[in-house]
Amino acid sequence: MAKADWIAVDWGTSNLRLWRMAADGTVLDRAESDAGMGRLSPEDFEPTLLGLLSDLDTETPVIICGMAGARQGWAEAPYVKTPCAPPGIAEAITVPTRDPRLNVCILPGVAQDRPANVMRGEETQVAGFLALNPRFDGVICLPGTHSKWVHVSAGEIVSFRSFMTGEIFELLSQKSVLRHGLGGGWDEASFAEGVDQAMGRPAAFAAELFTLRAEGLLHGLPPEKATARLSGLLIGMELSAAKPYWLGQSVALLGASKLVAHYRSALETLAVPVVIADAERMTLEGLKAARKTEKTE
């Protein structure tokens, strides 16, 4: 294997992804692990990283984004405040390591004072999207456990909002009474119905949730339709609250393909122009952009 010029790492709560990079930005190798921040104590990060880089033979720069920089992570990387450009190496912290082969920097997240909000990792995806689309002015939506809506202009993160849509879906589908009527599969018409109900009558959201349970008991609502409508209700509530972000804007969607498809479907019914970008590629492009910043300073 060719020698890596540097190492790019996306260290999340549940997983980490690592790329060995050539000097010209070519990916030499990729590795993945389920040793996310949530499973590790601070002293575990270095040996975990070395377990994926055991063949290093010289000091190598390692640039990390994501939850490794959280308060509960490897070392806390203080937030950069909005409005700001996506943070680069100039704002990163250097982490002391025992092994001399590692030269580790962790990129900070981004914070917003009012309304209070934070992100770690998503800002690197934003940086990657802007590196490939430097003239983009609009909104970047990152669906996920905690969805983000990020307004960008002139290369800066102007403001953003977070929504716990994905986490609420998980809680309702696994811990609430609704779990008895949900199942696999998908029904696009039921999803669209849920989006329309939530956006048209957001005050009735809690009542519409219980209707899912009642329709299953009384009218045999199929599990796949119940699941799709639940998803539609939750995404519809999010879109209703995020309207100041997407109304009259171009929206770029970054995230897991299946979830992105649901957001795209909902936004297109509202006549919102949408472009889609691969989240993993945007993360890597963002880390590459940080590396370029370092080399030009």
Side-chain angles (χ1 to χ4, degrees):
M1 184 186 300
K3 181 181 175 181
D5 181 67
W6 65 287
I7 308 297
V9 182
D10 174 22
W11 213 317
T13 301
S14 303
N15 299 280
L16 75 90
R17 292 176 294 185
L18 177 152
W19 299 268
R20 297 170 185 259
M21 305 297 298
D24 64 359
T26 302
V27 175
L28 302 175
D29 188 33
R30 179 189 184 280
E32 189 167 355
S33 168
D34 62 359
M37 181 275 291
R39 297 188 174 197
L40 305 177
S41 58
E43 60 270 18
D44 295 328
F45 281 82
E46 183 174 341
T48 297
L49 184 61
L50 286 170
L52 298 174
L53 298 171
S54 58
D55 59 343
L56 286 183
D57 58 6
T58 188
E59 182 179 348
T60 304
V62 180
I63 302 176
I64 301 175
C65 70
M67 296 303 292
R71 188 168 300 172
Q72 300 80 19
W74 191 346
E76 185 174 9
Y79 294 107
V80 176
K81 295 289 186 70
T82 58
C84 63
I89 291 299
E91 296 87 8
I93 63 166
T94 300
V95 182
T97 58
R98 294 183 295 273
D99 194 303
R101 294 174 296 171
L102 297 177
N103 180 4
V104 175
C105 288
I106 301 180
L107 298 173
V110 171
Q112 176 178 277
D113 281 332
R114 295 187 181 277
N117 217 328
V118 295
M119 67 169 86
R120 282 197 187 275
E122 294 92 350
E123 73 292 327
T124 303
Q125 294 182 18
V126 171
F129 185 83
L130 292 178
L132 297 178
N133 304 275
R135 297 183 180 179
F136 180 84
D137 268 45
V139 171
I140 299 175
C141 175
L142 302 103
T145 303
H146 300 151
S147 299
K148 309 287 184 186
W149 291 79
V150 186
H151 177 208
V152 296
S153 181
E156 289 193 335
I157 297 172
V158 178
S159 66
F160 64 102
R161 293 300 305 267
S162 301
F163 296 84
M164 294 178 62
T165 306
E167 185 169 351
I168 294 171
F169 178 86
E170 183 177 356
L171 289 169
L172 289 173
S173 61
Q174 296 184 13
K175 302 293 186 181
S176 80
V177 69
L178 297 183
R179 71 187 187 278
H180 302 297
L182 305 179
W186 188 257
D187 183 79
E188 190 63 32
S190 297
F191 172 75
E193 180 184 357
V195 172
D196 183 66
Q197 287 175 332
M199 295 199 68
R201 301 179 299 278
F205 173 69
E208 295 291 355
L209 289 179
F210 193 79
T211 297
L212 291 175
R213 173 61 174 160
E215 285 193 18
L217 292 171
L218 299 178
H219 306 305
L221 181 67
E224 67 275 10
K225 290 189 175 184
T227 299
R229 201 198 304 174
L230 172 61
S231 179
L233 286 167
L234 288 165
I235 291 176
M237 286 290 290
E238 179 180 326
L239 292 179
S240 180
K243 190 173 182 178
Y245 278 83
W246 55 258
L247 185 65
Q249 295 281 357
S250 298
V251 175
L253 287 169
L254 283 59
S257 58
K258 184 177 179 181
L259 189 55
V260 161
H262 298 332
Y263 277 75
R264 179 180 188 175
S265 174
L267 285 165
E268 287 182 343
T269 65
L270 301 168
V272 178
V274 172
V275 297
I276 292 177
D278 178 72
E280 180 170 328
R281 184 187 178 197
M282 295 307 103
T283 299
L284 182 56
E285 292 296 332
L287 288 163
K288 287 164 64 174
R291 175 68 170 163
K292 290 177 183 177
T293 302
E294 180 187 44
K295 289 185 174 182
T296 58
E297 287 178 352

